[in-house]
Amino acid sequence: MIRSEILKEIAPILRPHLVVCNIGLPSQEMHMIDDQPTNFYMLGTMGLASSIGLGVALAQDKTVISIDGDGSVLTNLGTLPTIANNVADNFILMIIDNGSYGSTGDQPTYAGKKTNLTDVARACGCENVVEVQDKDTGAALEAAIASKKMTILVVKCDSGNVKVPVITKDPVVIRDRFMNAIAS
Amino acid sequence: MSISTQIVDDMVANGINFVTTVPCKQLGGVIDEVEARPEIYHIPSNKEDEGMGLCAGAFMGGKRPCIIMQNTAIGVTINTLVTLTQFYRMPLPMLISYRGELLEPVACQVEMAVHTKALLAQLNIPTYHFHHQDDAKELDAILKYTFMCNKPVAILTDATFWGGY
Ligand SMILES: [Mg+2]
């Protein structure tokens, strides 16, 4: 499976929760598949989906799921020790690991070569690190939400993209409706 | 009362309750004070752009954030400041150690100091410079201003302000 197929399958599971979507195709795909006020779309700033998600989770009680990528986690690798040492049990970091920089044309990442992000997350001190294959994502995500334990979910899948339109919503509108959804 | 205590008192009085820090010798007293306050969640970050991501999330989750860092971080965070903090219109007070100013012993720090105000001006970031201890009296007003206008705001604190190295 490729990322957009996984997102389509888990959209009903994500819907009631706060979701921070990574820059580029992950945001555009979520926006196309199931736009919700509880979704925060990153329009720029590669690498910070996990940091933004952790910030939201530490600030309030609702469940927060950051949809990140292997390339973006590599960009901001310092995020994993910060997550490990600031446990928010309402936070799930889902790393869609397709071994490539999808949004820029599927150039290979080191995560698709010798670097194992599951092992990296564990070495950084993250306690609940679960690696799953694409088809098992839904069940693993439901289990992580139900566990009420901070979880790093590494989803191994194929690289590849579908054609999606860019997001033209104003960033302040995205931010405002996300904040209203959090406060409601 | 120490200047560090006074600064953190002003933060707490303005409802700041989520502070990320990157270590700094000059700001060490402020960082200790932040860590000691029960009103503040203190989350050290490994890099300043990561810290700004944490602050953006915390703000959207209902907290009032602040970042404490050195001026070298301006070089690290320009993309984050413009595409996240400014593009989404979020408030972020940045308490900055202004290395490379008078009394600086390390030449390399001057190389970033000479660009600091020019970069902040280019980014349209409101900038305040604390040189004498009396200047810190404006901090309360600066914090109110930051959360009024939803912008990143820089507070540069130099070595003279901190009483030398
Ligand atoms: Mg990828």
Side-chain angles (χ1 to χ4, degrees):
Chain A
M1 293 169 83
I2 62 171
R3 179 189 52 249
S4 63
E5 294 170 316
I6 295 169
L7 293 180
K8 212 172 280 176
E9 202 166 283
I10 65 172
I13 304 169
L14 294 171
R15 195 170 299 141
H17 303 294
L18 302 174
V19 180
V20 175
C21 305
N22 190 25
I23 179 179
L25 292 168
S27 270
Q28 291 165 19
E29 288 169 1
M30 270 315 292
H31 182 255
M32 184 182 70
I33 292 164
D34 191 31
D35 180 33
Q36 295 290 329
T38 44
N39 292 353
F40 179 75
Y41 304 113
M42 291 178 66
L43 302 172
T45 338
M46 179 161 172
L48 296 189
S50 57
S51 307
I52 295 170
L54 179 63
V56 178
L58 288 169
Q60 52 80 58
D61 293 334
K62 291 178 176 162
T63 298
V64 182
I65 300 149
S66 281
I67 302 176
D68 216 335
D70 53 315
S72 287
V73 168
L74 290 169
T75 294
N76 181 21
L77 212 46
T79 192
L80 292 170
T82 304
I83 290 167
N85 288 282
N86 293 273
V87 173
D89 281 327
N90 58 338
F91 182 54
I92 296 167
L93 172 61
M94 184 168 77
I95 305 169
I96 309 271
D97 182 0
N98 57 6
S100 75
Y101 292 102
S103 297
T104 54
D106 278 333
Q107 294 86 355
T109 67
Y110 288 130
K113 297 185 171 179
K114 287 162 113 177
T115 304
N116 182 322
L117 287 179
T118 305
D119 289 346
V120 173
R122 288 195 180 120
C124 288
C126 297
E127 277 153 14
N128 306 296
V129 186
V130 180
E131 184 178 306
V132 290
Q133 278 303 315
D134 41 21
K135 61 176 175 30
D136 303 320
T137 308
L141 180 59
E142 281 179 319
I145 294 167
S147 76
K148 300 207 181 303
K149 289 271 165 226
M150 185 169 79
T151 305
I152 314 293
L153 204 55
V154 181
V155 177
K156 304 293 279 185
C157 67
D158 300 319
S159 63
N161 302 306
V162 291
K163 260 214 159 336
V164 276
V166 297
I167 298 172
T168 56
K169 278 191 175 67
D170 190 279
V172 181
V173 172
I174 294 170
R175 194 261 283 167
D176 189 58
R177 68 175 200 159
F178 185 65
M179 288 179 74
N180 287 332
I182 291 174
S184 71
Chain B
M1 180 172 36
S2 80
I3 192 70
S4 296
T5 306
Q6 183 192 321
I7 285 171
V8 181
D9 278 353
D10 281 341
M11 288 182 181
V12 171
N14 280 277
I16 289 174
N17 49 9
F18 186 97
V19 178
T20 189
T21 63
V22 173
C24 170
K25 209 182 251 179
Q26 280 185 329
L27 292 165
V30 178
I31 295 169
D32 288 346
E33 194 73 34
V34 162
E35 173 67 29
R37 298 294 178 105
E39 300 93 335
I40 297 175
Y41 186 87
H42 175 213
I43 179 164
S45 40
N46 295 305
K47 214 169 177 185
E48 298 84 352
D49 55 344
E50 180 205 358
M52 289 181 184
L54 292 164
C55 286
F59 170 68
M60 291 192 289
K63 297 268 189 195
R64 281 187 167 225
C66 173
I67 188 166
I68 294 177
M69 62 191 202
Q70 294 195 349
N71 57 329
T72 47
I74 300 297
V76 174
T77 58
I78 287 178
N79 181 56
T80 303
L81 282 165
V82 302
T83 65
L84 183 64
T85 318
Q86 290 182 329
F87 198 39
Y88 288 85
R89 275 178 59 86
M90 301 197 216
L92 185 62
M94 302 184 287
L95 183 65
I96 300 169
S97 166
Y98 194 2
R99 295 293 308 263
E101 268 291 315
L102 298 181
L103 309 180
E104 174 63 58
V106 180
C108 189
Q109 296 284 0
V110 181
E111 295 303 312
M112 197 61 205
V114 297
H115 298 296
T116 297
K117 284 187 172 175
L119 287 169
L120 290 165
Q122 176 65 38
L123 297 169
N124 293 334
I125 292 177
T127 299
Y128 301 90
H129 182 170
F130 291 178
H131 185 57
H132 299 295
Q133 294 234 327
D134 246 19
D135 298 336
K137 284 183 181 150
E138 271 196 327
L139 182 60
D140 177 66
I142 295 167
L143 294 175
K144 287 182 168 62
Y145 177 83
T146 305
F147 289 99
M148 175 275 297
C149 65
N150 279 355
K151 288 180 188 298
V153 171
I155 304 141
L156 299 169
T157 59
D158 67 22
T160 307
F161 175 78
W162 292 112
Y165 286 93

